[in-house]
Amino acid sequence: MQVYAVSDIHVDYPENHQWIMAISSEDYRNDVLLLAGDVSDNLDMLAEVLAHLVTCFAQVFFVPGNHDLWVRKQDYSCSLEKLAAIEELCASLGVKTETEHLPGVSIVPMHSWYDFSFGIPDRYLRRAWRDFRACQWPEHLDNEEAITQHFLARNEAHLNVESECVISFSHFLPRLDVMPEQIPQHRRKVYPVLGSDSLDEQLRRLQPDIHVYGHSHVNRAVTIDGIRYVNNAFAYPDESRIARKQLLKVWDSQQGVAC
């Protein structure tokens, strides 16, 4: 058994949709896929992709990204209502959204958001970042910190997992230093909306062998404080320089950590 990871497939782009729907239904029959968010804000397209992937892999795990929780007001009253619809869809298709113990490895999906602990957004980001308009939250989640804590609370029951190998995954970044040092300064404007230090606090309690994340679109594998952090975003069609554009094997039953 092998575990593969990919995120940010953004199938609203025809090139990305073609790639994901062309994944072999034969080559990965005994393997696991971790899909770390940002498939589409269109629930029908998400359903199409997930339905295809469950025919390709023995098991598919999914956590939603920010794009997946964008809402059209005529469809859902808020992003939490849409999240419930996504989780109902996953359950109907057999897509895993909670911790599972597999032979030799436990998979721990982790909910997350961003809370500006990586930096304070400037005026440009507040205007340009679409989440601030496309996501809608109930009144009690009236700021990013409250949203983040709502999602992190769902992880609490899964932080004591013990297994031969533990692989966790989230859409958002658990720590800012997984970003490469060579990122140009003008590209760092988005750092405040990349993730949360509080997610890292949960990871330190869980102590996974591998943590897969998405969102940044910057493919990287780096070991920090004993945890192997891996990003394998498919990304937008024009981001071929920073994205591999392929599935990445992160673990297999014979060799352990594979990336």
Side-chain angles (χ1 to χ4, degrees), residues 44 47 80 106 141 233 237 243:
D44 291 335
L80 290 188
S106 292
L141 302 182

Side-chain angles (χ1 to χ4, degrees), residues 88-187:
E88 183 177 346
L89 169 66
C90 288
S92 72
L93 294 172
V95 173
K96 308 296 184 181
T97 58
E98 300 291 344
T99 297
E100 293 278 336
H101 304 288
L102 308 177
V105 63
S106 292
I107 308 295
V108 184
M110 300 189 73
H111 300 277
S112 56
W113 201 254
Y114 46 81
D115 56 7
F116 305 157
S117 54
F118 291 176
I120 303 301
D122 62 14
R123 184 179 178 186
Y124 167 80
L125 186 61
R126 289 189 179 276
R127 290 200 312 266
W129 193 244
R130 189 170 172 183
D131 288 359
F132 298 148
R133 303 182 305 279
C135 290
Q136 302 292 325
W137 304 103
E139 289 186 4
H140 69 284
L141 302 182
D142 59 357
N143 58 67
E144 278 66 28
E145 184 175 358
I147 296 165
T148 298
Q149 291 304 315
H150 173 85
F151 282 115
L152 295 182
R154 301 185 60 179
N155 301 332
E156 284 294 322
H158 305 276
L159 300 181
N160 295 313
V161 173
E162 294 184 4
S163 180
E164 182 178 340
C165 178
V166 176
I167 303 176
S168 56
F169 74 107
S170 61
H171 179 66
F172 296 97
L173 281 62
R175 53 193 300 164
L176 190 53
D177 56 359
V178 297
M179 292 296 288
E181 293 181 0
Q182 65 268 25
I183 298 294
Q185 197 64 39
H186 70 280
R187 298 286 188 186

Side-chain angles (χ1 to χ4, degrees), residues 53-66:
L53 292 175
V54 297
T55 70
C56 302
F57 292 85
Q59 298 216 49
V60 176
F61 289 80
F62 177 62
V63 292
N66 50 314

Side-chain angles (χ1 to χ4, degrees), residues 61-89:
F61 289 80
F62 177 62
V63 292
N66 50 314
H67 285 239
D68 305 309
L69 297 184
W70 290 355
V71 295
R72 302 180 179 98
K73 288 188 177 180
Q74 67 270 25
D75 294 330
Y76 302 98
S77 63
C78 71
S79 294
L80 290 188
E81 184 181 335
K82 187 174 186 185
L83 174 61
I86 290 172
E87 292 177 335
E88 183 177 346
L89 169 66

